[in-house]
Amino acid sequence: MNHQLTLISLVFFTSAIAETFKNLDSHPQFPCKPPHFSSYPFCNVSLSIKQRAISLVSLLTLPEKIGQLSTTAASVPRLGIPPYEWWSESLHGLADNGPGVSFNGSISAATSFPQVIVSAASFNRTLWYEIGSAVAVEARAMYNGGQAGLTFWAPNINLFRDPRWGRGQETPGEDPKVVSEYGVEFVRGFQEKKKRKVLKTRFGSDNVDDDARYDDDADGKLMLSACCKHFTAYDLEKWGNFTRYDFNAVVTEQDMEDTYQPPFETCIKDGKASCLMCSYNAVNGVPACAQGDLLQKARVEWGFDGYITSDCDAVATIFEYQGYTKSPEEAVADAIKAGVDINCGTYMLRNTQSAIEQGKVSEELVDRALLNLFAVQLRLGLFDGDPRGGHYGKLGSNDICSSDHRKLALEAARQGIVLLKNDYKLLPLNKNHVSSLAIVGPMANNISNMGGTYTGKPCQRKTLFTELLEYVKKTSYASGCSDVSCVSDTGFGEAVAIAKGADFVIVVAGLDLSQETEDKDRFSLSLPGKQKDLVSSVAAVSKKPVILVLTGGGPVDVTFAKTDPRIGSIIWIGYPGETGGQALAEIIFGDFNPGGRLPITWYPESFADVPMSDMHMRADSSRGYPGRTYRFYTGPQVYSFGTGLSYTKFDYKIISAPIRLSLSELLPQQSSHKKQLLQHGEEQLQYIQLDDVMVNSCESLRFNVRVNVRNTGEIDGSHVLMLFSKMARVLSGVPEKQLIGFDRVHIRSNEMMETVFVIDPCKYLSVANDVGKRVIPLGIHALFLGDLQHSLSVEF
């Protein structure tokens, strides 16, 4: 039996059902229509969400209940409840990967923002929030047009653990703090109830008062539902003998606590996400969607208030791929008992009845799942009557592809593009002194992959070549390679010829979705095929040093270009979205000063020898294992996390920061650690375990690091400040360093500004020990800001 075909057929079956009702009307179908269906208690807006959900579940028969367990939820005609499609996508703009979004209607496009890894490189929280908010406006407008649902499955907050991962591009990078904060900002921007007057986008600053952005809503109502995925330790598609459907992620308690879980905990606690998606893979031998302690931790410890969905057919994989259960009924029962509320696909739809009949799961647990599902729909206003009369009823096609949203997409691309090399101050070019340009590379004149995975139908389609042509009319183009795989050099001659005759040459190389995507990981970190030879051949004949532009989400080993004096500048653009060509042209010709920073480590090709299936974060010299990400990696790097150049220079000065931090108030008098200290003296106590810490005492220990930043150059520019800490090595597995604060500031030439980092020591000066408990090491914590270092003595 071909399980993969079975899974795919289920998804297509689901999609086909959805298409039958998605476009029946130019307006969305809705329950509680007067006069026949508006008198039910679940339609009564004066009742609480819980009361309404309980009432609705109590009115359903068992077959009707089971019909709600698929993402293409069945209608209940006798109660006036239409079908509903839960699966819509909005990773970096609305996308029709799932059946919930369709561009086959009056709305045929939506703003395509840069891929997440590019927006993350801006290190601008306000920008992340505004992107989430803009996508939400377009989503609600499409819902009003009957072309989208209200529940969307974004963001992807898995860490970019391995540089070969095909979906790393969808994530905010490799650092738990950055990934966590991106998730919070996107979710809040996407879910929160906006004021009726849509705010003008403010993306120049990283400090905006929350009260100015959204209504203070204590009723739990949602504009839309966002989903934090994929829970958890999911970051392998297809590598070696492993696939995402059968992979067992073996994760230590230490790595789980301080690397894999923080983004999800933060997304739930601070972002208030209303959906959580469990992943295909198993975690330490148990499928994620059948792991009750994992899913219940989210609800009980983290306070998750929403619904839990499986990834598409991840309930089926419990039996079909992983063989964890002996039957489909057991797989369904295990998932429901673990806390999964809905299955993307039809596995629950087809097997829940028999699972109940066999006594493997109770109807009461199905009711529990439905209460979670209906509660989210009620919070979205789905049972409040005609949505055209609601809070967002006026949103329509004019709110999609608006000038404000396209400006925001352009700003995101500008801020996310990273300048990696700029020898001889080759850039920016003066367009008045450039008589001709040569553009080389298959991605330079290709619009199909500008957005990366989960890209819908962009508002505009312009290539990099087209936008560069706006600056220099005498611009020629040659692909050099027929495609990104570049298996032949037959096109090199044309590329070399145009390079010889041009003032300046721009070579566009790197990756596209033929190399990295969902269900496809890379096996090499080098440029694909003969791309390296193409770059070198062109650089050998160019009159001036070449400008190398790199596409793709995953890092590539371009050591050859980094060290070649014939290649003067290197720019990483990732997947920059529909306005990426304009952003790149503005940076090359100096209309925008780059300030992006790499959110991932760029490893050498030798890292491809490290098994992708090894989930350990910490280095282990005894087995030649170099570790992963900047926090633990001990090997050579092509470019480090946080690398990024500017056309100007910035100087720092630490104005104030504590030199000593006492933790004595953290522990209650009766704690075991305090008793140990009193008995044996301070030298015996090497760290404070946070399990012993009094509630709310961490907040009292927060401290400020005040910094002055001066732009000492001649060009205005934005700059990302990154504050790292390096803690005392009093226990095993301490990071090489870790990011504890970041801020993006815009400073005019020869001007100065102050920024403040607020540091919570319990969060950012702590690390997990080898049994997964958070501890704060005592001793010297070195704080680094660029070349500056400040010593902080953490004492008891």
Side-chain angles (χ1 to χ4, degrees):
M1 180 179 182
N2 189 323
H3 295 307
Q4 187 163 359
L5 288 178
T6 301
L7 295 179
I8 291 172
S9 69
L10 294 180
V11 173
F12 279 129
F13 176 67
T14 302
S15 302
I17 296 174
E19 287 296 331
T20 64
F21 66 80
K22 184 167 56 181
N23 292 316
L24 289 176
D25 197 334
S26 59
H27 300 289
Q29 300 180 73
F30 60 93
C32 299
K33 281 185 180 179
H36 302 296
F37 300 109
S38 57
S39 59
Y40 292 109
F42 60 79
C43 300
N44 186 347
V45 296
S46 68
L47 298 178
S48 70
I49 296 293
K50 184 177 181 180
Q51 288 173 316
R52 296 170 73 186
I54 291 173
S55 170
L56 176 49
V57 173
S58 72
L59 296 173
L60 298 178
T61 65
L62 179 58
E64 288 170 341
K65 291 175 181 178
I66 293 172
Q68 302 301 307
L69 298 179
S70 167
T71 44
T72 304
S75 63
V76 186
R78 67 183 183 86
L79 298 180
I81 299 174
Y84 178 77
E85 177 55 60
W86 287 84
W87 177 11
S88 294
E89 297 286 356
S90 61
L91 182 69
H92 55 106
L94 301 180
D96 52 356
N97 298 69
V101 172
S102 170
F103 292 105
N104 298 322
S106 61
I107 299 169
S108 59
T111 307
S112 177
F113 292 90
Q115 182 58 286
V116 174
I117 195 71
V118 180
S119 295
S122 71
F123 286 85
N124 188 337
R125 297 174 184 84
T126 303
L127 180 70
W128 301 337
Y129 179 95
E130 296 289 359
I131 289 172
S133 181
V135 176
V137 167
E138 297 198 357
R140 262 289 179 170
M142 284 195 74
Y143 169 76
N144 290 344
Q147 291 180 238
L150 293 173
T151 47
F152 290 80
W153 292 350
N156 182 339
I157 55 169
N158 296 113
L159 257 70
F160 200 162
R161 173 189 64 93
D162 190 288
R164 294 160 288 187
W165 185 28
R167 300 185 72 178
Q169 57 179 288
E170 301 174 19
T171 78
E174 69 180 32
D175 179 72
K177 177 178 172 63
V178 175
V179 175
S180 296
E181 298 202 20
Y182 178 92
V184 168
E185 294 297 335
F186 183 89
V187 168
R188 292 181 68 189
F190 192 77
Q191 287 195 160
E192 283 172 349
K193 187 176 176 181
K194 311 296 187 300
K195 294 181 178 178
R196 288 183 183 272
K197 182 179 179 181
V198 179
L199 293 167
K200 183 178 179 181
T201 300
R202 292 165 294 177
F203 40 69
S205 165
D206 197 11
N207 293 289
V208 177
D209 184 5
D210 284 343
D211 292 336
R213 298 196 288 202
Y214 59 93
D215 279 339
D216 183 13
D217 235 348
D219 59 4
K221 288 295 183 75
L222 299 167
M223 180 178 183
L224 293 162
S225 171
C227 194
C228 295
K229 63 182 186 182
H230 311 81
F231 194 53
T232 188
Y234 166 70
D235 49 24
L236 182 149
E237 302 298 306
K238 186 183 292 183
W239 183 88
N241 295 323
F242 303 101
T243 74
R244 60 181 179 166
Y245 306 114
D246 58 20
F247 179 59
N248 176 31
V250 179
V251 182
T252 68
E253 293 176 305
Q254 188 174 36
D255 289 339
M256 186 68 80
E257 172 61 30
D258 67 10
T259 297
Y260 292 104
Q261 296 296 65
F264 290 97
E265 182 176 1
T266 308
C267 199
I268 290 168
K269 284 184 173 179
D270 299 335
K272 308 297 183 186
S274 54
C275 168
L276 185 65
M277 177 186 286
C278 56
S279 52
Y280 291 114
N281 57 284
V283 181
N284 296 328
V286 182
C289 291
Q291 196 157 143
D293 57 346
L294 185 71
L295 300 184
Q296 292 309 310
K297 181 172 187 173
R299 286 204 185 275
V300 177
E301 291 186 29
W302 300 345
F304 174 61
D305 182 16
Y307 74 99
I308 296 176
T309 180
S310 74
D311 205 337
C312 290
D313 285 306
V315 175
T317 63
I318 295 172
F319 170 68
E320 305 283 349
Y321 265 64
Q322 296 166 0
Y324 183 73
T325 61
K326 296 179 180 179
S327 68
E329 288 82 5
E330 286 184 5
V332 166
D334 282 3
I336 292 174
K337 287 188 285 189
V340 176
D341 300 312
I342 197 167
N343 168 223
C344 177
T346 61
Y347 214 67
M348 282 186 176
L349 202 63
R350 293 182 287 119
N351 295 297
T352 301
Q353 178 77 46
S354 54
I356 292 174
E357 291 171 354
Q358 295 174 23
K360 297 185 184 302
V361 70
S362 66
E363 185 175 352
E364 287 73 22
L365 285 179
V366 173
D367 291 350
R368 181 185 71 176
L370 296 188
L371 288 173
N372 292 329
L373 294 169
F374 288 132
V376 170
Q377 289 183 327
L378 286 160
R379 292 168 66 192
L380 288 163
L382 196 60
F383 291 83
D384 292 353
D386 192 337
R388 286 171 289 185
H391 194 81
Y392 308 104
K394 303 300 182 185
L395 293 175
S397 58
N398 290 337
D399 298 290
I400 298 177
C401 295
S402 66
S403 59
D404 277 352
H405 290 177
R406 295 194 62 250
K407 287 176 185 176
L408 179 61
L410 174 60
E411 188 66 21
R414 288 167 173 164
Q415 292 195 21
I417 289 175
V418 182
L419 180 63
L420 295 171
K421 178 181 179 181
N422 196 29
D423 290 355
Y424 329 110
K425 294 187 177 180
L426 177 62
L427 297 179
L429 301 183
N430 185 331
K431 63 182 176 181
N432 297 319
H433 296 162
V434 179
S435 61
S436 62
L437 270 181
I439 313 297
V440 173
M443 281 289 284
N445 205 25
N446 185 326
I447 60 173
S448 61
N449 284 326
M450 289 283 282
T453 56
Y454 289 85
T455 296
K457 302 294 188 292
C459 307
Q460 70 165 25
R461 295 175 177 270
K462 290 187 177 181
T463 67
L464 304 178
F465 170 69
T466 302
E467 294 288 8
L468 289 164
L469 195 60
E470 294 291 321
Y471 280 83
V472 180
K473 296 305 178 185
K474 188 180 178 182
T475 296
S476 54
Y477 168 72
S479 65
C481 304
S482 60
D483 55 26
V484 170
S485 296
C486 197
V487 296
S488 171
D489 59 5
T490 54
F492 284 19
E494 183 186 5
V496 168
I498 67 167
K500 284 181 179 178
D503 270 3
F504 288 91
V505 179
I506 300 171
V507 181
V508 181
L511 311 173
D512 70 356
L513 298 186
S514 70
Q515 307 298 310
E516 54 170 7
T517 189
E518 187 166 6
D519 224 13
K520 184 171 186 176
D521 296 318
R522 289 187 291 154
F523 285 86
S524 170
L525 298 180
S526 298
L527 289 173
K530 297 180 181 294
Q531 282 194 35
K532 176 182 175 182
D533 296 336
L534 175 64
V535 175
S536 297
S537 297
V538 169
V541 301
S542 179
K543 297 175 184 176
K544 297 182 177 69
V546 162
I547 300 162
L548 176 60
V549 175
L550 296 173
T551 63
V556 286
D557 184 350
V558 288
T559 303
F560 79 97
K562 181 180 179 181
T563 58
D564 189 343
R566 300 172 303 175
I567 298 170
S569 295
I570 303 176
I571 305 172
W572 175 73
I573 64 170
Y575 296 104
E578 66 175 66
T579 58
Q582 181 180 345
L584 174 64
E586 289 179 355
I587 286 172
I588 287 176
F589 288 97
D591 288 340
F592 188 84
N593 188 354
R597 302 282 199 107
L598 291 180
I600 47 176
T601 300
W602 283 32
Y603 302 84
E605 173 62 24
S606 59
F607 191 86
D609 295 333
V610 176
M612 192 174 175
S613 54
D614 193 325
M615 302 295 288
H616 289 85
M617 298 302 298
R618 271 84 175 166
D620 184 351
S621 59
S622 68
R623 58 188 183 96
Y625 185 70
R628 297 180 180 276
T629 76
Y630 81 93
R631 294 165 64 228
F632 304 108
Y633 178 61
T634 56
Q637 305 173 35
V638 179
Y639 287 110
S640 62
F641 173 87
T643 296
L645 305 176
S646 171
Y647 295 152
T648 188
K649 292 184 178 181
F650 298 91
D651 286 343
Y652 307 142
K653 181 180 180 181
I654 296 177
I655 304 170
S656 67
I659 59 173
R660 182 175 290 105
L661 183 68
S662 174
L663 304 183
S664 59
E665 298 303 316
L666 280 180
L667 300 182
Q669 290 297 321
Q670 300 305 313
S671 79
S672 60
H673 271 76
K674 181 163 281 191
K675 289 178 179 178
Q676 178 185 350
L677 179 64
L678 294 174
Q679 291 171 2
H680 301 291
E682 183 176 351
E683 69 279 2
Q684 300 296 321
L685 191 64
Q686 295 182 310
Y687 55 81
I688 297 295
Q689 189 163 305
L690 292 185
D691 279 357
D692 288 336
V693 169
M694 291 190 296
V695 178
N696 299 325
S697 57
C698 286
E699 195 168 317
S700 65
L701 286 177
R702 288 180 180 174
F703 61 89
N704 293 343
V705 178
R706 295 174 56 230
V707 178
N708 272 348
V709 193
R710 182 182 295 275
N711 181 347
T712 60
E714 298 177 355
I715 304 174
D716 297 351
S718 293
H719 185 64
V720 175
L721 295 94
M722 308 179 83
L723 182 65
F724 294 91
S725 76
K726 185 171 184 177
M727 59 187 68
R729 292 187 173 276
V730 298
L731 70 161
S732 62
V734 168
E736 299 296 311
K737 63 177 180 178
Q738 63 184 18
L739 187 68
I740 63 172
F742 63 89
D743 193 13
R744 187 178 181 114
V745 295
H746 185 82
I747 310 175
R748 292 182 177 178
S749 172
N750 294 310
E751 291 191 2
M752 181 179 68
M753 72 172 298
E754 179 182 314
T755 190
V756 179
F757 296 103
V758 180
I759 307 301
D760 181 339
C762 294
K763 284 185 178 180
Y764 302 126
L765 299 185
S766 67
V767 66
N769 63 17
D770 56 7
V771 294
K773 300 295 185 181
R774 281 273 178 178
V775 300
I776 302 178
L778 300 178
I780 298 297
H781 288 242
L783 307 184
F784 296 92
L785 183 68
D787 294 331
L788 298 181
Q789 179 176 340
H790 175 82
S791 292
L792 171 66
S793 178
V794 178
E795 305 169 353
F796 192 85

